[in-house]
């Protein structure tokens, strides 16, 4: 499915236009431009630079000089936590003196060529995208492909019928629908984890892109060796016909309940394996009776005392890893030869260190942590299932 993106002019928009910038020593970033690109990155919006470079055709510098300027810009952007997804430039001009480049080209703005190439490379819906630049040719490019044009520069340079903003930073604030450009790149909590969200958003699509980016980043912090260890614990439990217990509070309770569904119903589909899986969070009558009579901190431990046996497995899901009922359940399991798997977030709390296997997500956003926990639960259940199927069955079955 195509997505919106942002096409940026280069000279006069990202760097100062001193006229045919063809060498690294002449590159000067406009104040706020790097931070603006970083904000687009955090919002999940693909960014492409589309720039006319007639200096090549006029003999002022060569293709390799343009590439060196872009390499320098890439390095400077990266130093401040920003990046451009695609760099495109048009070296052609009809008034050129270099024969290879002295011709017309549909790539030269306001021609649509570079925008169409960006759409192809980045899977963009140009009609939902923005073109930001300081010249009428940038506005013309936007009109040629049905994109939204934002003009940057002094009021005296305004293009009729198009909103003008003082600089790229101001234009990006409009794109993101945000009162500011979010926190500076690299802003983290005291624990060193990126804060999300770090600013107010006024557009759901922008927040959605940023949220997806944060899930991707957070999932990347999961230690896959711990996933492998968890899979071995689960597979061994099924092999010896042991019982797997799961528990969690709030949103984590729903993951525990879902785990029971996937391991009892899903794993059996195509394998014939009849597993023993129970969620300690699902029996509201028993759950509330224990909480009411003995205290909420005992709701999981009390059930384990009656149902669990040495060799069974306990899976706990806790974003904070600090919930007293979770910690007590882990302590009981450790004292009664019940291996444990913990899914945690934030700093991990006691659960992260008490569990036999720790699947930790470095995030400080409850929704993101729970989404990654749910994903880990799914992939473990599917791994266990496919490991017991024939290769032909894996190909033909729906997962």
């Amino acid at each position: 499915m195509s997505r919106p993106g942002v096409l940026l002019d280069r000279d006069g928009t990202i760097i100062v236009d001193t006229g045919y910038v063809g060498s690294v020593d002449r590159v000067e970033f406009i104040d706020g431009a790097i931070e603006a690109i970083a904000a687009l990155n955090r919002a999940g919006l693909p960014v492409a630079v589309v720039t006319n470079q007639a200096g090549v055709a006029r003999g002022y510098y060569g293709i390799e000089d343009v590439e060196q300027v872009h390499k320098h810009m890439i390095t400077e952007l990266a130093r401040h936590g920003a990046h451009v997804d695609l760099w495109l430039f048009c070296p052609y001009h009809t008034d050129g003196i270099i024969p290879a480049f002295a011709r017309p080209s549909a790539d030269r703005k306001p021609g649509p060529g570079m925008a169409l190439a960006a759409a192809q490379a980045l899977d963009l819906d140009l009609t939902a995208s923005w073109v930001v630049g300081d010249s009428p040719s940038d506005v013309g490019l936007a009109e040629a492909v049905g994109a939204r044009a934002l003009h940057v520069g002094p009021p005296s340079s305004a293009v009729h019928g198009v909103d003008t903003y003082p600089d790229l930073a101001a234009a990006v604030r409009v794109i993101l629908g945000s009162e500011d450009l979010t926190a500076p790149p690299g802003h983290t909590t005291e624990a060193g984890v990126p804060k999300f969200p770090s600013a107010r958003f006024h557009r759901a699509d922008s927040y959605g892109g940023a949220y997806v980016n944060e899930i991707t980043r957070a999932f990347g912090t999961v230690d896959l060796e711990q996933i492998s260890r968890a899979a071995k614990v689960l597979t061994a439990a099924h092999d010896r016909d042991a019982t797997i217990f799961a528990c969690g509070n709030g949103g984590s309770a729903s993951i525990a309940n879902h785990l029971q569904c996937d391991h009892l119903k899903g794993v059996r589909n195509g394998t014939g394996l009849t597993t023993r899986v129970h969620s300690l969070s699902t029996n509201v009558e028993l759950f509330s009776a224990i909480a009411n009579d003995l205290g909420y901190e005992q709701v999981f431990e009390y059930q384990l005392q009656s149902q669990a046996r040495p060799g069974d497995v306990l899976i706990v899901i806790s974003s904070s890893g600090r919930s007293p009922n979770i910690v007590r359940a882990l302590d009981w399991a450790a004292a009664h030869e019940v291996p444990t798997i913990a899914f945690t977030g934030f700093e991990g709390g006691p659960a992260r260190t008490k569990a036999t296997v720790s699947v930790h997500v470095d995030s400080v956003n409850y929704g993101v942590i729970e989404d990654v926990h749910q994903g880990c639960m799914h992939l473990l259940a599917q791994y266990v299932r496919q490991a017991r199927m024939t290769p032909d069955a894996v190909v033909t079955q729906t997962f």
Side-chain angles (χ1 to χ4, degrees), residues 60-255:
Y60 298 149
Y61 46 79
I63 293 287
E64 65 280 1
D65 296 310
V66 179
E67 293 173 344
Q68 285 301 315
V69 166
H70 289 173
K71 287 180 181 178
H72 173 70
M73 292 178 67
I74 288 168
T75 300
E76 289 302 303
L77 287 165
R79 288 180 60 241
H80 295 85
H83 70 272
V84 168
D85 298 285
L86 182 67
W87 296 80
L88 297 171
F89 65 93
C90 177
Y92 304 105
H93 196 288
T94 53
D95 295 336
I97 62 171
I98 305 299
F101 302 107
R103 65 173 178 81
S105 172
D107 288 341
R108 181 172 175 78
K109 295 181 293 186
M114 287 190 287
L116 296 175
Q120 177 71 24
L122 301 176
D123 192 24
L124 303 182
D125 177 356
L126 291 175
T127 62
S129 299
W130 295 264
V131 175
V132 185
D134 68 323
S135 73
S137 66
D138 298 307
V139 174
L141 172 63
E143 293 174 345
V145 297
R148 289 167 279 188
L150 297 178
H151 179 265
V152 295
S156 59
S157 67
V159 177
H160 179 71
V162 178
D163 292 333
T164 295
Y165 301 91
D167 51 30
L168 179 58
V172 168
R173 281 194 287 269
V174 173
I175 292 172
L176 297 181
S178 178
E179 292 176 348
D180 55 39
L181 292 182
T182 75
H187 177 67
T188 61
T189 66
E190 291 183 1
V193 179
K195 176 73 169 61
F196 179 82
S198 56
R200 183 181 179 188
F201 286 75
H202 292 291
R203 290 181 59 93
D205 55 348
S206 296
Y207 192 84
Y211 189 89
V212 169
N213 273 1
E214 174 60 12
I215 289 179
T216 302
R217 184 206 64 78
F219 221 130
T221 69
V222 174
D223 184 351
L224 295 183
E225 176 58 30
Q226 297 298 312
I227 292 291
S228 181
R229 291 183 61 199
K232 291 177 181 177
V233 170
L234 294 171
T235 299
H238 291 322
D239 287 342
R240 63 178 180 268
D241 200 27
T243 300
I244 296 171
F245 297 96
C247 63
N249 299 289
S252 297
S254 70
I255 298 173

Side-chain angles (χ1 to χ4, degrees), residues 32-47:
I34 293 178
E35 291 79 6
I37 294 172
L40 294 172
N41 298 153
R42 289 192 294 273
L45 288 169
V47 178

Side-chain angles (χ1 to χ4, degrees), residues 1-48:
M1 182 178 295
S2 297
R3 54 185 177 163
V6 181
L7 309 183
L8 300 179
D9 173 50
R10 195 190 80 177
D11 302 353
T13 302
I14 302 174
I15 61 175
V16 176
D17 187 357
T18 55
Y20 298 106
V21 179
S23 60
V24 169
D25 62 293
R26 297 185 62 198
V27 174
E28 179 184 354
F29 282 90
I30 296 172
D31 288 346
I34 293 178
E35 291 79 6
I37 294 172
L40 294 172
N41 298 153
R42 289 192 294 273
L45 288 169
V47 178

Side-chain angles (χ1 to χ4, degrees), residues 343-360:
F343 290 81
T344 61
F346 292 91
E347 295 181 9
R352 184 178 183 182
T353 56
K354 288 178 177 288
T356 309
V357 178
S358 177
V359 178
H360 181 70

